[in-house]
Amino acid sequence: MNKSLYKYQQEVVERAVEGENIIIWLPTGGGKTRAAVYVAKRHLETTKNAKVVVLVNKVHLVDQHYSKEFNPKLGSTYDVVAVSGECERKDFFGNVVRDSDLVICTAQILENALIDREDSRHVELSDITLLIIDECHHTHKEAVYNKIMRRYVEKKLKGERPLPQILGLTASPGTGGARILAKAVDHVLEICANMDSAIVSSKTYAPELKEQVPRPIKKFDIADDRPLDPFGDHLKLIMEQIHEYMVLPPDFRLRETGTQEYEADVVILEQRGVRENNRLLAQCALHLRQYNDALLINDTVRMMDAYSSLEDFYRTKILTAIDETDDFLMILFHENQAELKKLAMDARFENPKMAKLQSTLLRQFDPKLMSRGILFSKTRKSIHCLNDWVCNNRALQDAGIKAAILTGAGNGNTYMTQNEQKDTIRNFRKGILNLLISTSVAEEGLDIPECNLVVRYGLVTNEIAQQQASGRARARNSEYSVVAMAGGPEVRRELTNEYLEELTAKAISQVQEMSHREFRAKLTELQTQALISNRLAETLKITKRCRYSAADIQLSCRRCFKIVASGSDIKLLDNEHYVNISREFEEHYKVGGQAPIPRTFDDWEPGRVISCRKCSEQWGFEMKYKKVALLPNMKIKKFALETPDGKVLVKKWKDVQFPVEDFDLSDYCKDRFPDLLD
């Protein structure tokens, strides 16, 4: 066995090296990727016409696995290639797989290639001899990993061969929400069935694993109670005035303000208002959500952060009032604005959790120490607020803290590009930065240097996220801190997660103790059930999609209720973008600034933001397709669907109840430029 592997790693790869489908379960920092590199190397050495594909679930992990592990170990002997969404090679992915020995890519790229019929892009599962799936606990429900593995399982049950060997990697399978052992066992078996794999962990060399991957010291840093909160109290008074103005339906009750439950209630209330053509109800609910968000921010970070969130919201609304409801809500805020700002600036009533967070950071950071830490918080909004606080806090700056935010990749001001993520992590490794303030993006998969402090702040998550975050504190005698109020939801969930972590281990142990015959029989049973359920779900989806004809559907602006389009105006472009091809639609929208999409695309380029001409609600953006067609790309969540049976609201286009035809560029050009085609 390879001398570069620890004995516990040698133990967990043994069955995979023999060609068995295996899930490797090792804690964060246990070297799962290193073990996978070894299995890939042995597979390439011993398998005729070997073809290895490594799947990851986040774009930044493609380059990380390529540059940190697979290429340094295998690149001198084998053709190792990394392919991500920002790489031109994805457009010839079929050719890349055929011409390479090992390909690292996002799961979505492989999924697209399995569907694509173009030879240069198409891949069959039979083309692959070893499929490595990173963070394989995501192989469930409608996750892209599971879509790929469903194809695998269906072929296996039909007896189709060849199929690739499967190697899964995970630090935290979790319990799937189960609180009792039998249900947790069912969850682990379901993951095994989806992966068609047995799960292995270190038994003989568990002491060596414990020595190499020490657990951090856990601390609950409990903040003092907030004796007075006049800013929050004033927000609640404003909300009470809105409650009285809107006249709640007699069958509807709102739960306590300043909670996630209240937020869920007002979301439902807004939807009800739209469906019932009750704009008063819908708009009041939208504004109540903003005040409730301010209460939640006030409970998490500074009062001024909460005030600023409201100020930003009303700044965008000042020129868009269209009826007396808007007038009432705008006047109500402006009448209270000065008092809210005054209260938010009064340091006597500041959030006590901020003081506790400061003392927690100062416990580990000092100009004389080489400290590194990660501060996790829930939302992109909160981490931006925390970063501003750290950078403007004299005590933290004197302690030598050099902080930066780390968020997921995406579009918009609060997201980061892939290159920005790389630069931030590179600076963290070099010591230019020593504190990352991050959302959950840094919890899973990222190769981040050993930290001596991990802080969870304002987070209530499951046991998987907790284990992933804890695993980032890898330095000797490192500290894992939970900053919270006494008896708060964060503390309760943290203690629950400790139990669930133990339950996960017990469930895996029980699965491992099953006889080979019993285990395989159970997997086949679960796979057969999943296949039948999936076929039924697909049938229901098709039936639902054809419930109405496109011509029977009208789209109305969700904010002002004005009807602006027909379902037959909507076309599906490149199996991804829903665009409106009607000339009449142009009369209903106005254009703003350039859409904030910091990426380039092969066939199209983003244009200007579009918004409702009547109420200024943002609907999406224009996209220029093949330098010819200027097409409004619409967000369905900004519209209501007027059906023969009443209004319907959907979050995603895939859930609309009418068929959408594919966009045809030649038909579009015939309609728009008939003279050019004569």
Side-chain angles (χ1 to χ4, degrees):
M1 193 70 75
N2 190 342
K3 293 286 192 294
S4 68
L5 295 183
Y6 291 109
K7 288 180 180 178
Y8 72 83
Q9 291 172 316
Q10 296 176 18
E11 181 182 4
V12 296
V13 303
E14 217 168 319
R15 289 165 66 181
V17 168
E18 295 300 317
E20 192 177 341
N21 285 4
I22 289 297
I23 296 170
I24 292 176
W25 175 45
L26 286 175
T28 300
K32 295 180 296 298
T33 312
R34 185 69 51 86
V37 171
Y38 178 75
V39 174
K41 180 175 183 292
R42 287 291 300 271
H43 182 86
L44 289 164
E45 290 169 347
T46 60
T47 306
K48 186 178 179 181
N49 299 321
K51 193 75 61 180
V52 181
V53 173
V54 181
L55 299 183
V56 297
N57 64 325
K58 293 177 181 175
V59 173
H60 55 259
L61 296 179
V62 174
D63 180 67
Q64 177 178 297
H65 283 349
Y66 174 80
S67 59
K68 291 287 181 182
E69 297 287 356
F70 285 92
N71 195 52
K73 305 293 190 306
L74 304 176
S76 60
T77 308
Y78 301 100
D79 189 10
V80 179
V81 176
V83 183
S84 69
E86 297 182 4
C87 168
E88 291 182 1
R89 283 173 165 159
K90 77 178 189 301
D91 299 319
F92 307 98
F93 188 69
N95 293 343
V96 171
V97 171
R98 283 185 282 276
D99 296 341
S100 309
D101 298 310
L102 187 148
V103 177
I104 306 166
C105 64
T106 55
Q108 191 62 56
I109 286 177
L110 178 59
E111 168 69 4
N112 293 345
L114 292 169
I115 298 169
D116 204 312
R117 294 295 101 193
E118 178 67 37
D119 188 58
S120 64
R121 293 193 289 264
H122 181 66
V123 171
E124 289 282 350
L125 282 173
S126 56
D127 298 333
I128 305 165
T129 57
L130 173 63
L131 184 62
I132 300 174
I133 301 181
D134 190 34
E135 308 292 357
C136 70
H137 52 274
H138 291 297
T139 311
H140 63 96
K141 297 182 181 177
E142 293 307 305
V144 65
Y145 280 166
N146 213 24
K147 291 179 181 178
I148 293 167
M149 287 307 301
R150 275 180 193 152
R151 288 188 177 83
Y152 179 101
V153 169
E154 186 167 359
K155 288 177 180 292
K156 175 208 163 190
L157 293 177
K158 287 179 179 178
E160 294 182 22
R161 300 292 187 274
L163 287 170
Q165 178 190 349
I166 303 296
L167 176 65
L169 311 173
T170 184
S172 45
T175 67
R179 299 296 177 99
I180 59 173
L181 181 58
K183 294 291 185 183
V185 168
D186 289 344
H187 172 71
V188 174
L189 282 169
E190 185 179 346
I191 290 176
C192 291
N194 292 344
M195 290 286 294
D196 195 45
S197 301
I199 187 165
V200 299
S201 56
S202 179
K203 302 281 190 186
T204 306
Y205 296 102
E208 181 194 48
L209 172 59
K210 191 173 182 180
E211 171 65 23
Q212 290 298 323
V213 190
R215 296 292 294 260
I217 300 161
K218 177 178 275 192
K219 291 190 177 181
F220 287 98
D221 287 306
I222 304 302
D224 295 332
D225 288 334
R226 195 174 200 164
L228 294 171
D229 183 16
F231 175 76
D233 292 339
H234 200 83
L235 290 175
K236 291 175 183 178
L237 283 173
I238 298 171
M239 294 170 79
E240 285 178 17
Q241 290 178 262
I242 298 175
H243 291 164
E244 292 172 7
Y245 179 80
M246 71 195 295
V247 186
L248 273 175
D251 61 339
F252 198 93
R253 290 181 65 85
L254 288 167
R255 284 170 285 185
E256 184 183 356
T257 54
T259 65
Q260 296 291 348
E261 290 78 16
Y262 181 90
E263 180 172 327
D265 290 343
V266 291
V267 166
I268 293 169
L269 202 60
E270 185 270 341
Q271 293 170 348
R272 179 168 171 172
V274 174
R275 282 195 297 267
E276 296 177 356
N277 286 314
N278 185 339
R279 191 170 185 277
L280 169 69
L281 195 66
Q283 288 305 301
C284 286
L286 273 177
H287 286 247
L288 284 170
R289 184 175 182 181
Q290 294 298 322
Y291 282 104
N292 196 65
D293 282 348
L295 284 172
L296 291 169
I297 294 168
N298 180 50
D299 185 55
T300 305
V301 282
R302 299 166 298 187
M303 294 184 291
M304 274 305 298
D305 297 319
Y307 170 78
S308 296
S309 73
L310 275 176
E311 190 177 53
D312 290 344
F313 173 75
Y314 279 99
R315 188 181 297 118
T316 64
K317 299 294 180 186
I318 195 165
L319 299 176
T320 62
I322 60 175
D323 64 16
E324 63 274 9
T325 297
D326 296 323
D327 292 336
F328 167 78
L329 293 165
M330 290 297 299
I331 291 168
L332 183 63
F333 173 72
H334 289 303
E335 284 178 345
N336 288 276
Q337 185 174 7
E339 180 65 15
L340 284 171
K341 188 172 185 179
K342 176 185 170 186
L343 292 170
M345 297 175 70
D346 193 330
R348 293 175 298 167
F349 308 118
E350 194 52 272
N351 186 348
K353 283 196 285 193
M354 300 299 287
K356 180 55 67 174
L357 177 58
Q358 177 174 311
S359 65
T360 299
L361 293 171
L362 291 176
R363 197 164 61 222
Q364 288 286 344
F365 281 93
D366 185 283
K368 300 170 187 174
L369 301 175
M370 291 292 291
S371 297
R372 275 200 184 95
I374 306 178
L375 170 56
F376 287 109
S377 194
K378 182 179 180 180
T379 65
R380 292 188 300 276
K381 172 73 176 175
S382 64
I383 68 165
H384 279 271
C385 294
L386 287 168
N387 183 59
D388 181 71
W389 170 70
V390 169
C391 293
N392 290 286
N393 184 298
R394 174 60 67 86
L396 297 180
Q397 292 304 299
D398 289 346
I401 293 181
K402 300 180 285 291
I405 63 170
L406 182 64
T407 68
N411 302 321
N413 296 332
T414 58
Y415 289 93
M416 299 179 78
T417 65
Q418 191 179 346
N419 285 334
E420 286 172 338
Q421 285 182 336
K422 287 180 186 176
D423 290 343
T424 298
I425 294 165
R426 187 184 303 116
N427 289 335
F428 190 61
R429 285 199 187 100
K430 291 178 178 179
I432 298 170
L433 301 171
N434 57 15
L435 179 67
L436 293 181
I437 304 175
S438 179
T439 54
S440 59
V441 70
E443 286 177 346
E444 186 172 279
L446 277 176
D447 182 23
I448 289 173
E450 292 182 349
C451 296
N452 55 300
L453 177 65
V454 166
V455 181
R456 301 249 295 168
Y457 184 78
L459 279 174
V460 181
T461 60
N462 64 19
E463 72 280 9
I464 294 176
Q466 179 177 314
Q467 286 172 257
Q468 296 277 6
S470 175
R472 298 295 152 209
R474 300 181 194 173
R476 295 284 168 183
N477 302 314
S478 58
E479 184 180 307
Y480 172 84
S481 167
V482 179
V483 177
M485 304 297 290
E490 301 96 334
V491 174
R492 293 196 300 272
R493 185 66 210 203
E494 197 77 20
L495 295 172
T496 298
N497 286 342
E498 289 177 8
Y499 164 72
L500 293 176
E501 188 176 345
E502 294 174 8
L503 189 62
T504 301
K506 289 177 183 176
I508 291 172
S509 179
Q510 192 161 312
V511 168
Q512 291 172 335
E513 289 168 6
M514 295 172 70
S515 69
H516 178 75
R517 183 175 179 179
E518 181 189 5
F519 177 74
R520 295 314 308 185
K522 186 64 178 174
L523 256 58
T524 301
E525 177 191 342
L526 289 170
Q527 289 169 343
T528 304
Q529 289 174 356
L531 187 61
I532 293 169
S533 297
N534 186 53
R535 286 175 177 169
L536 179 60
E538 286 298 319
T539 301
L540 291 172
K541 191 185 296 183
I542 293 169
T543 303
K544 181 180 178 183
R545 194 70 185 249
C546 298
R547 182 174 179 181
Y548 306 107
S549 72
D552 287 337
I553 301 295
Q554 292 182 305
L555 281 73
S556 61
C557 174
R558 187 157 171 166
R559 181 166 185 255
C560 67
F561 297 180
K562 182 178 176 60
I563 293 174
V564 295
S566 164
S568 53
D569 298 335
I570 311 301
K571 305 298 177 188
L572 179 57
L573 174 65
D574 291 345
N575 203 36
E576 184 177 2
H577 308 287
Y578 288 83
V579 297
N580 191 316
I581 62 166
S582 169
R583 288 184 175 181
E584 287 73 25
F585 184 60
E586 296 172 11
E587 300 172 5
H588 297 293
Y589 73 82
K590 56 188 177 183
V591 295
Q594 180 70 21
I597 302 177
R599 283 182 57 192
T600 57
F601 303 88
D602 291 332
D603 294 328
W604 67 276
E605 57 188 79
R608 295 169 296 180
V609 171
I610 63 171
S611 56
C612 178
R613 191 177 290 275
K614 181 178 180 182
C615 70
S616 298
E617 181 74 357
Q618 281 197 9
W619 287 345
F621 62 92
E622 291 180 324
M623 54 189 294
K624 193 168 187 178
Y625 184 65
K626 292 189 181 294
K627 302 186 183 301
V628 175
L630 192 63
L631 303 165
N633 185 321
M634 301 166 64
K635 297 178 183 176
I636 188 59
K637 65 181 181 181
K638 298 292 187 177
F639 299 90
L641 301 177
E642 311 263 355
T643 78
D645 300 314
K647 279 189 177 182
V648 174
L649 302 174
V650 295
K651 290 182 179 179
K652 297 181 179 179
W653 276 105
K654 67 180 180 64
D655 297 322
V656 299
Q657 298 180 3
F658 65 93
V660 179
E661 296 178 354
D662 289 337
F663 174 78
D664 187 305
L665 183 61
S666 60
D667 285 348
Y668 176 88
C669 290
K670 285 177 187 176
D671 179 56
R672 294 293 178 113
F673 316 113
D675 296 340
L676 296 177
L677 298 174
D678 287 342

